Amino acid sequence: MKLFFLSLLFIFSGNTFAQDPLPAWNDGPSKKAIIRFVQETTRAGSSQFISKEERIAVFDNDGTLWSEQPIYVQLAFAIDRIKTLAPQNPQWKTQQPFKAVLENDIQTVKASGHKGLFELIAATHAGMSTEAFQAIVSEWLKTARHPVTNRPYTEMVYQPMLELLAYLKSNGYTNYIVSGGGTEFMRPWTQKAYGIPPERIIGSAIKSKFVEVNGQYRIIGLPELEWINDGSNKPLAIQHQIGRRPVIAFGNSDGDQDMLLWTTGAPEPRLAGIIHHTDGAREVAYDRQSAIGKLNTALDLAPKNNWLVVDMKKDWRSIFPAIQPK
Amino acid sequence: MKLFFLSLLFIFSGNTFAQDPLPAWNDGPSKKAIIRFVQETTRAGSSQFISKEERIAVFDNDGTLWSEQPIYVQLAFAIDRIKTLAPQNPQWKTQQPFKAVLENDIQTVKASGHKGLFELIAATHAGMSTEAFQAIVSEWLKTARHPVTNRPYTEMVYQPMLELLAYLKSNGYTNYIVSGGGTEFMRPWTQKAYGIPPERIIGSAIKSKFVEVNGQYRIIGLPELEWINDGSNKPLAIQHQIGRRPVIAFGNSDGDQDMLLWTTGAPEPRLAGIIHHTDGAREVAYDRQSAIGKLNTALDLAPKNNWLVVDMKKDWRSIFPAIQPK
């Protein structure tokens, strides 16, 4: 019997001391603030207690949960897709921005601006059913590789953020993605990569129509934008789809600023964080001048709003998950 | 010890025999079909088994979960609100459709068509924050009474449908409302009335904007329609917000037809039902000719698509919940 109690003691003390919910985070102010906030909002009797139903955490995706450099993954997908479809579209050889894509002239693609990018999206995302589009995305992810690391894109996710998502989930928080990326582009892989199911993906969307073809019903994407989920549209989409003000929000760019302001502007306890890309050695260092993931005004607003600024170089022990054995 | 086992036996057999998950449903084909479907889709090893994540059930609201006669509850709200706001808007005395509202001339209100109805919605739903609007709805529901039964509107819900929602929930289904009614009009009361939280309400919406006033952030409704959640927009909204094809769908009018077609058009096991308002004594009998909740083409499509047609008169033992003791 004595051995039994000793074993119990060992088990409990083992749990207490060994269990670090965020091992890829260095011990520092960011990690401390996150853990303190989660403990205080979930401990029964705490003055900061938040009920389980209200524990909503929202996360930007590109640059917050996975890498967005050197170009957005969704743009890399569209470029590959244009190349795949080129044989059936011979006119693209002379037609911009398709010509630039086929010639790997990324500068001209970027210079084509919103109009050019939208033409690429329309040619690669519309005109098919949601199921067909998602199947294409899934197939592409199996073989596509990041141009710098040669990793599958789904292994370009940030290990510390995977841990944060799991930590929040295990504490009764419900995680949502609120991204400028396309909702249907993300849905095929976010459950496996992040543990976030399709119904918790809030992103940009093209218009669609409901059609019947030979007795089969389909939702078909149209070459027209429905919603660009960036800037002030992020809090609006959160209200539209969730209907609760988030308790926790993480982003990395000025496009996330309004989502963070909406979150921490609430009277109750709130936590917001900015992932600051400071690590040029292990990832890419960029902020105020970057064309992708520009972080300028949101960085200035951080101190006054008590937003954590997560310094990737200092705060993160590792950036990407260990390479999976094949 | 023998008594202990006898007690156990009593407890288990008691549970097995006494437990009717749908006591307000008469024993008949509708009830049988529902129970058989739920059992087969949730029993491990069943050829019709559906994983918990995929168990999505969608419900229309007006006429499916609560009464929509003699007018939609949301229109009754708008009318009462116009009367409340009339002293601050003296011009309404001579301006249609407001004049008709103030004179209780419902025929003229209806004759003002979509344009007139939209003016009423704009005057009563826009120009304030979501929180302020929801507070007004909550206050109104405390005192508003149904014109025929004199019950609070939240007691004009259908007891058999409350049981169905609870039965599905207890079997791992996730219930959503997919209604033509306003999302923000429903959110203040659906958790209490149906056990369906704000993030599972998919309805119509006005546009909104994100604004800062004196350091406070607000989402303000605009007098412009964003989304009318009816007809073919229902499957589109389901895809947009849930991203899964429903397994179960219930509606009561032609506006639900596409949602039901989308649901039962899937290759896997599916269940759809139409609530047919056949009971002129206990509620209101209406279908093919009704201005509200018209059920015509969807009724014709039911047999060929194997949709249940729930006959309120025959299938439902009771319509509304027992009056709550005050």
Side-chain angles (χ1 to χ4, degrees):
Chain A
M1 198 54 121
K2 199 177 169 191
L3 187 65
F4 174 69
F5 282 116
L6 277 175
S7 306
L8 265 187
L9 194 71
F10 178 78
I11 290 164
F12 281 111
S13 66
N15 272 344
T16 308
F17 288 96
Q19 196 178 311
D20 177 353
L22 303 173
W25 292 69
N26 285 313
D27 294 320
S30 292
K31 180 172 177 169
K32 268 203 193 80
I34 290 168
I35 291 178
R36 194 188 316 116
F37 184 85
V38 171
Q39 287 176 342
E40 284 304 303
T41 53
T42 58
R43 186 170 53 80
S46 159
S47 65
Q48 308 221 300
F49 183 79
I50 291 170
S51 70
K52 217 171 161 179
E53 308 83 63
E54 293 290 342
R55 288 180 207 158
I56 303 292
V58 293
F59 292 85
D60 172 57
N61 183 43
D62 298 306
T64 298
L65 296 181
W66 77 353
S67 189
E68 62 187 348
Q69 298 284 0
I71 56 171
Y72 292 123
V73 180
Q74 194 169 357
L75 180 56
F77 164 77
I79 287 172
D80 282 1
R81 190 77 192 140
I82 293 290
K83 291 177 182 173
T84 302
L85 296 172
Q88 296 119 272
N89 295 274
Q91 73 282 11
W92 287 351
K93 277 184 198 160
T94 55
Q95 184 187 340
Q96 292 296 12
F98 303 98
K99 181 171 180 285
V101 168
L102 297 177
E103 292 167 355
N104 294 314
D105 177 5
I106 297 297
Q107 290 317 312
T108 303
V109 173
K110 281 186 181 172
S112 73
H114 283 287
K115 190 176 164 292
L117 287 175
F118 180 68
E119 284 185 59
L120 299 183
I121 295 291
T124 54
H125 288 57
M128 72 197 99
S129 73
T130 320
E131 285 110 323
F133 177 71
Q134 292 194 352
I136 290 167
V137 172
S138 297
E139 275 305 304
W140 177 77
L141 282 171
K142 284 182 193 167
T143 56
R145 293 294 179 269
H146 188 273
V148 177
T149 65
N150 204 36
R151 282 182 160 215
Y153 284 106
T154 46
E155 291 180 21
M156 295 299 294
V157 297
Y158 301 134
Q159 176 64 22
M161 298 307 282
L162 298 183
E163 293 171 3
L164 177 56
L165 292 171
Y167 177 53
L168 293 177
K169 189 177 177 185
S170 73
N171 280 279
Y173 275 89
T174 302
N175 299 320
Y176 285 80
I177 289 178
V178 180
S179 167
T183 301
E184 303 298 1
F185 178 76
M186 294 184 277
R187 279 178 169 155
W189 53 270
T190 53
Q191 175 69 56
K192 201 174 162 206
Y194 304 133
I196 301 183
E199 61 269 28
R200 299 200 196 120
I201 306 298
I202 300 174
S204 295
I206 53 176
K207 287 188 190 291
S208 57
K209 63 176 173 181
F210 180 69
V211 295
E212 187 247 301
V213 185
N214 301 326
Q216 299 288 306
Y217 295 92
R218 295 278 177 267
I219 290 172
I220 304 287
L222 300 175
E224 198 179 339
L225 284 173
E226 167 106 40
W227 185 258
I228 299 177
N229 201 40
D230 199 34
S232 67
N233 274 357
K234 285 199 173 192
L236 298 184
I238 289 168
Q239 179 58 32
H240 185 72
Q241 295 194 217
I242 309 177
R244 303 184 194 263
R245 201 155 167 173
V247 172
I248 295 178
F250 275 81
N252 76 299
S253 77
D254 290 350
D256 302 314
Q257 182 173 306
D258 284 342
M259 175 168 84
L260 270 58
L261 286 170
W262 176 235
T263 301
T264 57
E268 302 81 12
R270 291 295 188 262
L271 176 72
I274 291 176
I275 307 303
H276 191 190
H277 292 262
T278 50
D279 197 323
R282 296 185 298 172
E283 203 222 14
V284 184
Y286 62 99
D287 50 25
R288 294 182 189 273
Q289 307 296 326
S290 181
I292 289 173
K294 180 177 177 180
L295 174 64
N296 185 32
T297 55
L299 196 55
D300 295 334
L301 285 170
K304 134 173 190 213
N305 291 285
N306 289 315
W307 297 341
L308 296 178
V309 178
V310 176
D311 183 324
M312 285 175 74
K313 191 171 176 177
K314 289 186 194 153
D315 282 326
W316 286 2
R317 189 165 291 157
S318 62
I319 306 275
F320 300 113
I323 291 182
Q324 303 298 310
K326 299 294 170 202
Chain B
M1 200 52 121
K2 203 178 166 189
L3 188 65
F4 173 69
F5 281 116
L6 277 175
S7 306
L8 264 187
L9 193 71
F10 178 78
I11 290 165
F12 280 110
S13 67
N15 271 344
T16 308
F17 288 96
Q19 196 178 308
D20 177 353
L22 303 173
W25 293 68
N26 285 314
D27 294 321
S30 292
K31 180 172 177 170
K32 268 202 193 82
I34 291 168
I35 291 178
R36 193 189 318 117
F37 184 86
V38 171
Q39 286 176 341
E40 284 303 304
T41 54
T42 59
R43 185 171 53 81
S46 159
S47 65
Q48 308 221 300
F49 183 79
I50 291 170
S51 70
K52 216 170 161 180
E53 308 83 64
E54 294 290 342
R55 287 181 208 156
I56 303 293
V58 293
F59 292 85
D60 171 57
N61 184 43
D62 297 306
T64 299
L65 296 180
W66 77 354
S67 190
E68 61 187 349
Q69 299 284 1
I71 56 171
Y72 292 123
V73 179
Q74 193 169 356
L75 180 56
F77 164 76
I79 287 172
D80 281 2
R81 189 78 191 138
I82 293 289
K83 291 177 181 173
T84 302
L85 296 172
Q88 297 119 271
N89 295 273
Q91 74 282 12
W92 286 350
K93 277 184 199 161
T94 55
Q95 185 187 336
Q96 293 295 14
F98 303 98
K99 181 170 181 287
V101 168
L102 298 176
E103 292 167 355
N104 294 315
D105 176 5
I106 296 297
Q107 290 317 312
T108 303
V109 173
K110 281 185 182 173
S112 72
H114 283 287
K115 190 175 165 291
L117 287 175
F118 180 68
E119 283 185 60
L120 299 182
I121 295 291
T124 54
H125 289 58
M128 70 196 98
S129 73
T130 319
E131 285 110 321
F133 176 71
Q134 292 195 352
I136 290 167
V137 172
S138 297
E139 275 305 304
W140 177 77
L141 281 172
K142 284 181 193 165
T143 56
R145 293 294 179 267
H146 187 274
V148 179
T149 65
N150 204 37
R151 282 182 160 215
Y153 285 105
T154 48
E155 292 179 21
M156 294 300 293
V157 296
Y158 302 133
Q159 176 65 24
M161 297 307 281
L162 298 183
E163 293 171 4
L164 177 56
L165 293 171
Y167 177 53
L168 293 176
K169 189 178 176 183
S170 74
N171 279 279
Y173 275 88
T174 302
N175 299 321
Y176 284 80
I177 289 178
V178 179
S179 167
T183 301
E184 303 299 2
F185 178 76
M186 295 184 276
R187 279 178 169 154
W189 54 270
T190 54
Q191 175 68 55
K192 201 173 163 208
Y194 305 132
I196 301 182
E199 62 270 28
R200 299 201 196 120
I201 306 299
I202 299 173
S204 296
I206 52 176
K207 285 188 191 291
S208 57
K209 63 177 174 180
F210 180 69
V211 295
E212 188 246 300
V213 185
N214 301 327
Q216 299 288 306
Y217 296 92
R218 294 277 178 265
I219 290 172
I220 304 287
L222 300 176
E224 198 179 339
L225 284 173
E226 168 106 37
W227 185 258
I228 299 177
N229 202 40
D230 198 34
S232 67
N233 274 357
K234 285 199 172 190
L236 298 183
I238 288 169
Q239 179 57 33
H240 185 72
Q241 295 193 218
I242 308 178
R244 303 185 196 260
R245 201 157 168 174
V247 173
I248 295 177
F250 275 81
N252 76 300
S253 78
D254 291 350
D256 301 314
Q257 183 173 305
D258 285 341
M259 174 168 85
L260 270 57
L261 286 170
W262 176 236
T263 300
T264 57
E268 302 82 11
R270 292 293 189 262
L271 176 72
I274 291 176
I275 307 303
H276 191 190
H277 292 262
T278 50
D279 197 324
R282 296 184 299 172
E283 202 221 15
V284 184
Y286 61 100
D287 50 24
R288 295 184 189 273
Q289 307 296 327
S290 181
I292 289 173
K294 180 178 177 179
L295 174 65
N296 185 32
T297 56
L299 196 56
D300 294 334
L301 284 170
K304 137 175 186 208
N305 290 284
N306 290 315
W307 297 342
L308 296 178
V309 178
V310 176
D311 183 325
M312 286 175 73
K313 192 171 176 179
K314 289 186 195 155
D315 283 326
W316 286 3
R317 189 164 290 157
S318 62
I319 306 274
F320 300 114
I323 291 182
Q324 304 298 311
K326 300 292 169 201

